[in-house]
Amino acid sequence: AAKTAGKNCVIWYDRTLRRRQSERIETVAKLRLALDADEFAVHYQPIVDLGTFRTVAVEALVRWLPPGEAPIGPDRFIPASEESGLIIALGEWVLRRACSEAAAWHREHGVTLTVNVSPRQLTDDTFTAKVRRILADSGLPATALALEITEGILIGAGTGSAQALAHLEALRADGVRIAIDDFGTGYSSLGYLRDLPVDILKIDRSLMPAGEDDHRQIALVRTVVDLARSLSLTTVAEGVETAFHATLLQELGCDRGQGYHFARPMPATNLTAGQFGQVPIREVSQSPF
Ligand code: C2E
Ligand code: MG
Ligand code: MG
Ligand code: MG
């Protein structure tokens, strides 16, 4: 009986796996068509200086807007894009769109841009050249761009990470800054922060304390901010959802904050109509993000 059950399991597993695979292939095919059909958009979320409460940077966040359907967030298509390699084309599209939109914001308001980069993009030999060309075409200075990566990219001694490192070092020499995204969710090894080409530390929103009584979490955030400061890194807290978060982070000496308390990600048109250099207005649009 056990043998039969085992066999059934194998068959079930095989079917499920095949169905999932074909779903993935379908998704990737749809994403490819969507890219050709220009169905993606870049939304921007303000990053606020906690000393002045002014918007000093924006993070580019990709959305898929299939016509006649609800918008789709990146968590639902970035993993498949990464696995299939489509992220190389999609990431390049996002970077080009974001740099060209941000160039005017930087010129007129000094606002800088930060863009997420997937591990797969850094395995592309031409990544550095592409970024340089996009910067030149858009007119955004290299010093006004930061690239967000997750720490996993740089940990481990594989040839992949050596190549990733080479891209980051070349771009950093041009003045592009490198941010570690979602700090506190991965290995969070401290040695690499000292040794690697990193300028900005983004503290993951899962580290934000629930309230004033959440002493352990407050101590944790304090430690991360102190560590980053001792390494001369710019600190950015993600998931600033309440006035308590903003005040606490300010007291802890965190440089910048990003989160729903200040503003949600929004289309470029809302941003330009909005108030760079001033205290950001709470987002009032119906954006589901
Ligand atoms: P991320 O880079 O950590 O971006 C921050 C995410 O947190 C965004 O989700 C943002 O909408 C959300 N967020 C901002 N403030 C708050 C807050 O106060 N509370 C909560 N609960 N969430 C907040 P989003 O836009 O859904 O993006 C999810 C992830 O998808 C991003 O996380 C990033 O890893 C990835 N992603 C987005 N755009 C791109 C892209 O162009 N390329 C790549 N490779 N990845 C991207
Ligand atoms: Mg990010
Ligand atoms: Mg993040
Ligand atoms: Mg994240």
Side-chain angles (χ1 to χ4, degrees):
K3 205 172 178 185
T4 322
K7 202 174 168 200
N8 284 343
C9 272
V10 170
I11 290 167
W12 176 84
Y13 178 73
D14 192 48
R15 277 195 197 134
T16 310
L17 201 69
R18 258 187 293 167
R19 184 159 40 82
R20 288 219 186 110
Q21 268 169 355
S22 66
E23 274 170 11
R24 266 281 153 93
I25 290 164
E26 231 173 89
T27 306
V28 171
K30 279 189 199 157
L31 287 168
R32 219 176 286 274
L33 289 173
L35 190 57
D36 288 338
D38 206 23
E39 290 177 8
F40 288 97
V42 180
H43 286 190
Y44 299 90
Q45 186 176 30
I47 296 173
V48 171
D49 182 304
L50 292 173
T52 61
F53 285 99
R54 288 168 190 273
T55 296
V56 288
V58 291
E59 177 171 7
L61 295 159
V62 67
R63 274 88 183 86
W64 180 12
L65 310 175
E69 285 175 50
I72 300 174
D75 288 336
R76 287 182 49 207
F77 59 83
I78 292 287
S81 306
E82 227 167 291
E83 271 175 44
S84 64
L86 186 67
I87 192 70
I88 292 179
L90 180 60
E92 185 180 354
W93 180 87
V94 169
L95 191 66
R96 183 169 287 280
R97 168 62 58 90
C99 287
S100 67
E101 288 185 321
W105 306 334
H106 180 258
R107 218 169 27 245
E108 289 157 26
H109 308 282
V111 169
T112 63
L113 172 71
T114 178
V115 179
N116 295 283
V117 173
S118 285
R120 185 74 182 256
Q121 289 176 266
L122 294 171
T123 65
D124 170 10
D125 287 336
T126 64
F127 181 75
T128 294
K130 278 177 183 165
V131 175
R132 286 179 175 152
R133 180 153 17 89
I134 288 169
L135 285 170
D137 290 349
S138 68
L140 184 76
T143 51
L145 176 68
L147 299 177
E148 297 191 7
I149 58 168
T150 48
E151 50 195 339
I153 291 182
L154 298 175
I155 291 173
T159 51
S161 67
Q163 190 183 26
L165 207 57
H167 283 306
L168 298 176
E169 274 166 353
L171 290 168
R172 197 157 175 258
D174 292 351
V176 173
R177 281 159 310 140
I178 309 300
I180 297 287
D181 203 357
D182 304 338
F183 185 82
T185 57
Y187 304 95
S188 300
S189 131
L190 303 183
Y192 81 87
L193 276 184
R194 180 198 55 211
D195 298 333
L196 292 170
V198 172
D199 307 280
I200 300 165
L201 192 73
K202 297 192 76 172
I203 305 169
D204 192 71
R205 66 169 181 263
S206 64
L207 266 62
M208 282 308 110
E212 290 174 40
D213 298 331
D214 195 353
H215 301 295
R216 287 162 60 97
Q217 204 76 340
I218 291 173
L220 203 61
V221 175
R222 183 197 306 277
T223 303
V224 172
V225 171
D226 288 348
L227 165 80
R229 283 163 63 91
S230 72
L231 295 169
S232 306
L233 302 176
T234 299
T235 44
V236 182
E238 305 188 282
V240 180
E241 293 185 346
T242 63
F244 162 68
H245 287 157
T247 311
L248 173 75
L249 290 160
Q250 196 179 29
E251 281 170 5
L252 296 182
C254 184
D255 299 306
R256 298 169 176 191
Q258 175 180 0
Y260 298 163
H261 173 66
F262 297 120
R264 289 182 179 254
M266 60 186 98
T269 46
N270 292 30
L271 262 186
T272 41
Q275 315 281 317
F276 279 133
Q278 297 184 24
V279 177
I281 297 172
R282 297 287 181 80
E283 174 72 341
V284 287
S285 85
Q286 301 303 308
S287 164
F289 301 106

